[in-house]
Tab-separated table of all heavy atoms in Angstrom:
chain	number	residue	atom	x	y	z
A	19	LEU	N	0.807	-1.201	0.002
A	19	LEU	CA	-0.008	0.001	-0.004
A	19	LEU	C	0.856	1.268	-0.009
A	19	LEU	O	0.514	2.246	-0.662
A	19	LEU	CB	-0.955	-0.013	1.203
A	19	LEU	CG	-1.957	-1.183	1.243
A	19	LEU	CD1	-3.020	-0.921	2.296
A	19	LEU	CD2	-2.610	-1.418	-0.095
A	20	ALA	N	1.958	1.238	0.742
A	20	ALA	CA	2.835	2.416	0.773
A	20	ALA	C	3.407	2.734	-0.591
A	20	ALA	O	3.412	3.896	-1.036
A	20	ALA	CB	3.963	2.193	1.792
A	21	VAL	N	3.900	1.699	-1.290
A	21	VAL	CA	4.519	1.986	-2.582
A	21	VAL	C	3.445	2.215	-3.652
A	21	VAL	O	3.711	2.877	-4.648
A	21	VAL	CB	5.492	0.861	-3.027
A	21	VAL	CG1	6.629	0.727	-2.027
A	21	VAL	CG2	4.786	-0.468	-3.237
A	22	SER	N	2.224	1.723	-3.449
A	22	SER	CA	1.138	2.051	-4.365
A	22	SER	C	0.881	3.565	-4.378
A	22	SER	O	0.515	4.128	-5.420
A	22	SER	CB	-0.148	1.311	-3.967
A	22	SER	OG	-0.050	-0.068	-4.222
A	23	LYS	N	1.089	4.184	-3.215
A	23	LYS	CA	0.942	5.650	-3.177
A	23	LYS	C	2.005	6.310	-4.047
A	23	LYS	O	1.708	7.294	-4.762
A	23	LYS	CB	1.057	6.129	-1.730
A	23	LYS	CG	0.678	7.596	-1.529
A	23	LYS	CD	-0.781	7.829	-1.774
A	23	LYS	CE	-1.206	9.243	-1.368
A	23	LYS	NZ	-2.662	9.467	-1.637
A	24	LEU	N	3.228	5.808	-4.015
A	24	LEU	CA	4.285	6.356	-4.882
A	24	LEU	C	3.970	6.124	-6.353
A	24	LEU	O	4.304	6.979	-7.196
A	24	LEU	CB	5.631	5.707	-4.539
A	24	LEU	CG	6.211	5.961	-3.142
A	24	LEU	CD1	7.459	5.094	-2.937
A	24	LEU	CD2	6.555	7.429	-2.964
A	25	LEU	N	3.350	5.008	-6.661
A	25	LEU	CA	2.994	4.682	-8.039
A	25	LEU	C	1.785	5.461	-8.541
A	25	LEU	O	1.437	5.374	-9.727
A	25	LEU	CB	2.727	3.186	-8.146
A	25	LEU	CG	3.928	2.245	-8.061
A	25	LEU	CD1	3.492	0.811	-7.785
A	25	LEU	CD2	4.779	2.348	-9.319
A	26	LYS	N	1.144	6.189	-7.615
A	26	LYS	CA	-0.067	6.964	-7.946
A	26	LYS	C	-1.157	6.038	-8.485
A	26	LYS	O	-1.896	6.381	-9.415
A	26	LYS	CB	0.252	8.087	-8.922
A	26	LYS	CG	1.237	9.125	-8.368
A	26	LYS	CD	1.553	10.214	-9.368
A	26	LYS	CE	2.365	11.348	-8.760
A	26	LYS	NZ	3.638	10.905	-8.180
A	27	SER	N	-1.261	4.878	-7.889
A	27	SER	CA	-2.287	3.898	-8.282
A	27	SER	C	-3.686	4.412	-7.908
A	27	SER	O	-3.842	5.183	-6.959
A	27	SER	CB	-2.036	2.558	-7.590
A	27	SER	OG	-0.800	2.008	-7.977
A	28	SER	N	-4.661	3.926	-8.652
A	28	SER	CA	-6.056	4.254	-8.329
A	28	SER	C	-6.481	3.452	-7.117
A	28	SER	O	-5.837	2.473	-6.706
A	28	SER	CB	-6.952	3.922	-9.515
A	28	SER	OG	-7.003	2.508	-9.714
A	29	SER	N	-7.639	3.827	-6.549
A	29	SER	CA	-8.166	3.092	-5.393
A	29	SER	C	-8.409	1.629	-5.758
A	29	SER	O	-8.140	0.720	-4.965
A	29	SER	CB	-9.444	3.766	-4.907
A	29	SER	OG	-9.947	3.103	-3.771
A	30	GLU	N	-8.910	1.389	-6.960
A	30	GLU	CA	-9.157	0.017	-7.392
A	30	GLU	C	-7.840	-0.763	-7.547
A	30	GLU	O	-7.748	-1.933	-7.124
A	30	GLU	CB	-9.909	0.015	-8.722
A	30	GLU	CG	-10.239	-1.381	-9.232
A	30	GLU	CD	-10.981	-1.391	-10.547
A	30	GLU	OE1	-11.185	-0.301	-11.124
A	30	GLU	OE2	-11.338	-2.477	-11.031
A	31	GLN	N	-6.822	-0.133	-8.095
A	31	GLN	CA	-5.536	-0.797	-8.214
A	31	GLN	C	-4.917	-1.099	-6.866
A	31	GLN	O	-4.306	-2.173	-6.665
A	31	GLN	CB	-4.589	0.080	-9.058
A	31	GLN	CG	-4.941	0.164	-10.522
A	31	GLN	CD	-4.162	1.241	-11.251
A	31	GLN	OE1	-3.784	2.263	-10.668
A	31	GLN	NE2	-3.920	1.027	-12.558
A	32	ILE	N	-5.083	-0.193	-5.925
A	32	ILE	CA	-4.564	-0.422	-4.574
A	32	ILE	C	-5.267	-1.605	-3.916
A	32	ILE	O	-4.642	-2.416	-3.224
A	32	ILE	CB	-4.667	0.861	-3.720
A	32	ILE	CG1	-3.867	1.991	-4.342
A	32	ILE	CG2	-4.197	0.589	-2.298
A	32	ILE	CD1	-4.098	3.346	-3.713
A	33	THR	N	-6.560	-1.714	-4.139
A	33	THR	CA	-7.312	-2.857	-3.609
A	33	THR	C	-6.747	-4.165	-4.158
A	33	THR	O	-6.560	-5.150	-3.409
A	33	THR	CB	-8.802	-2.748	-3.960
A	33	THR	OG1	-9.323	-1.505	-3.481
A	33	THR	CG2	-9.596	-3.905	-3.367
A	34	HIS	N	-6.472	-4.196	-5.455
A	34	HIS	CA	-5.905	-5.413	-6.053
A	34	HIS	C	-4.488	-5.678	-5.516
A	34	HIS	O	-4.097	-6.840	-5.300
A	34	HIS	CB	-5.874	-5.281	-7.563
A	34	HIS	CG	-7.236	-5.418	-8.200
A	34	HIS	ND1	-8.029	-6.522	-8.038
A	34	HIS	CD2	-7.953	-4.562	-8.986
A	34	HIS	CE1	-9.157	-6.390	-8.687
A	34	HIS	NE2	-9.147	-5.202	-9.287
A	35	ALA	N	-3.699	-4.617	-5.304
A	35	ALA	CA	-2.358	-4.805	-4.733
A	35	ALA	C	-2.447	-5.440	-3.371
A	35	ALA	O	-1.657	-6.326	-3.028
A	35	ALA	CB	-1.639	-3.456	-4.665
A	36	LEU	N	-3.416	-5.005	-2.556
A	36	LEU	CA	-3.585	-5.585	-1.232
A	36	LEU	C	-3.950	-7.062	-1.352
A	36	LEU	O	-3.411	-7.905	-0.611
A	36	LEU	CB	-4.671	-4.821	-0.481
A	36	LEU	CG	-4.737	-4.981	1.039
A	36	LEU	CD1	-5.555	-3.848	1.657
A	36	LEU	CD2	-5.307	-6.310	1.447
A	37	GLY	N	-4.850	-7.405	-2.285
A	37	GLY	CA	-5.224	-8.802	-2.457
A	37	GLY	C	-4.045	-9.653	-2.889
A	37	GLY	O	-3.856	-10.760	-2.390
A	38	LEU	N	-3.232	-9.129	-3.801
A	38	LEU	CA	-2.072	-9.885	-4.272
A	38	LEU	C	-1.029	-10.059	-3.162
A	38	LEU	O	-0.407	-11.119	-3.025
A	38	LEU	CB	-1.445	-9.174	-5.468
A	38	LEU	CG	-2.273	-9.168	-6.756
A	38	LEU	CD1	-1.692	-8.185	-7.766
A	38	LEU	CD2	-2.344	-10.569	-7.361
A	39	ALA	N	-0.809	-9.002	-2.372
A	39	ALA	CA	0.160	-9.098	-1.293
A	39	ALA	C	-0.327	-9.990	-0.172
A	39	ALA	O	0.452	-10.717	0.450
A	39	ALA	CB	0.461	-7.690	-0.767
A	40	GLY	N	-1.621	-9.948	0.107
A	40	GLY	CA	-2.159	-10.691	1.232
A	40	GLY	C	-2.330	-12.159	0.982
A	40	GLY	O	-2.231	-12.969	1.917
A	41	VAL	N	-2.574	-12.571	-0.263
A	41	VAL	CA	-2.932	-13.955	-0.528
A	41	VAL	C	-1.739	-14.909	-0.509
A	41	VAL	O	-1.913	-16.102	-0.230
A	41	VAL	CB	-3.684	-14.068	-1.859
A	41	VAL	CG1	-2.728	-13.968	-3.063
A	41	VAL	CG2	-4.492	-15.355	-1.926
A	42	CYS	N	-0.528	-14.410	-0.788
A	42	CYS	CA	0.587	-15.347	-0.990
A	42	CYS	C	1.797	-15.053	-0.115
A	42	CYS	O	2.900	-15.513	-0.405
A	42	CYS	CB	1.019	-15.340	-2.467
A	42	CYS	SG	1.490	-13.704	-3.061
A	43	ASN	N	1.615	-14.317	0.971
A	43	ASN	CA	2.768	-13.944	1.803
A	43	ASN	C	2.510	-14.228	3.286
A	43	ASN	O	2.810	-13.406	4.147
A	43	ASN	CB	3.113	-12.482	1.590
A	43	ASN	CG	3.650	-12.223	0.212
A	43	ASN	OD1	4.721	-12.692	-0.159
A	43	ASN	ND2	2.889	-11.477	-0.600
A	44	ILE	N	1.977	-15.414	3.586
A	44	ILE	CA	1.734	-15.813	4.966
A	44	ILE	C	3.019	-16.469	5.460
A	44	ILE	O	3.394	-17.563	5.036
A	44	ILE	CB	0.546	-16.788	5.073
A	44	ILE	CG1	-0.669	-16.233	4.313
A	44	ILE	CG2	0.231	-17.045	6.529
A	44	ILE	CD1	-1.130	-14.880	4.747
A	45	ALA	N	3.700	-15.798	6.359
A	45	ALA	CA	5.036	-16.238	6.822
A	45	ALA	C	4.936	-17.019	8.135
A	45	ALA	O	4.227	-16.613	9.057
A	45	ALA	CB	5.941	-15.013	6.994
A	46	LEU	N	5.698	-18.097	8.241
A	46	LEU	CA	5.692	-18.928	9.456
A	46	LEU	C	6.524	-18.292	10.558
A	46	LEU	O	7.592	-17.750	10.317
A	46	LEU	CB	6.222	-20.315	9.138
A	46	LEU	CG	5.457	-21.123	8.081
A	46	LEU	CD1	6.103	-22.489	7.929
A	46	LEU	CD2	3.993	-21.254	8.457
A	47	ARG	N	6.056	-18.443	11.781
A	47	ARG	CA	6.757	-17.897	12.945
A	47	ARG	C	8.043	-18.682	13.262
A	47	ARG	O	8.836	-18.233	14.103
A	47	ARG	CB	5.809	-17.934	14.140
A	47	ARG	CG	6.329	-17.311	15.414
A	47	ARG	CD	6.380	-15.813	15.353
A	47	ARG	NE	7.080	-15.273	16.514
A	47	ARG	CZ	7.306	-13.969	16.693
A	47	ARG	NH1	6.927	-13.112	15.809
A	47	ARG	NH2	7.971	-13.569	17.752
A	48	GLN	N	8.275	-19.785	12.620
A	48	GLN	CA	9.495	-20.557	12.845
A	48	GLN	C	10.747	-19.699	12.633
A	48	GLN	O	11.816	-19.981	13.177
A	48	GLN	CB	9.528	-21.749	11.914
A	48	GLN	CG	10.716	-22.694	12.146
A	48	GLN	CD	10.756	-23.294	13.535
A	48	GLN	OE1	9.711	-23.541	14.143
A	48	GLN	NE2	11.949	-23.493	14.083
């Protein structure tokens, strides 16, 4: 979301960026 602001993304694009970042970056506490 922070770099989406630098990219001047639209609100819709930022929503998609959040979905892409959130779906595949679940990190283990190990």
